[in-house]
Amino acid sequence: MIGNDTIPVIVPYGEGLQLIEKLEQLNEFSPMEEKKRLLSQLRKYSVNLYRYQFQTLQNDITQNQVTGAYLMGSLHYDACLGVTLKDDLALF
């Protein structure tokens, strides 16, 4: 069970990469339904990071200004290994 001390972060995996790009194109005037739809689709591309993991990876995580969602860059995400703290250490 995932504890309450975790932070959901969307990772650039598969179709999630294209959805992240669409999310980044939204602005404050974009329809709320479009924002909700994209965030709903992106749920399956999110991982929960413990706070210490989030802090370790914070240089590769940005926060979307329109939705507040945290987005991971490709530096610490591998399609085969998942989220990594280092080049060869998988967390998930």
Side-chain angles (χ1 to χ4, degrees), residues 14-25:
E15 184 186 350
L17 185 57
Q18 289 80 29
L19 293 172
I20 288 171
E21 290 171 0
K22 288 181 183 179
L23 185 69
E24 289 293 312
Q25 293 173 4

Side-chain angles (χ1 to χ4, degrees), residues 24-90:
E24 289 293 312
Q25 293 173 4
L26 296 178
N27 61 49
E28 60 191 70
F29 303 110
S30 298
M32 182 61 73
E33 288 304 314
E34 185 177 358
K35 295 173 192 176
K36 287 181 181 179
R37 181 185 54 80
L38 272 174
L39 288 174
S40 177
Q41 290 176 315
L42 282 164
R43 268 193 212 121
K44 62 182 171 183
Y45 301 101
S46 69
V47 297
N48 287 310
L49 299 178
Y50 290 103
R51 292 200 182 278
Y52 80 90
Q53 294 168 325
F54 184 87
Q55 290 170 350
T56 300
L57 301 173
Q58 67 186 352
N59 290 335
D60 197 31
I61 297 173
T62 59
Q63 187 172 25
N64 180 273
Q65 297 302 308
V66 176
T67 64
Y70 289 109
L71 309 171
M72 180 171 287
S74 59
L75 183 62
H76 289 98
Y77 187 80
D78 181 86
C80 294
L81 299 175
V83 177
T84 61
L85 287 175
K86 296 183 180 177
D87 293 339
D88 60 352
L89 177 63

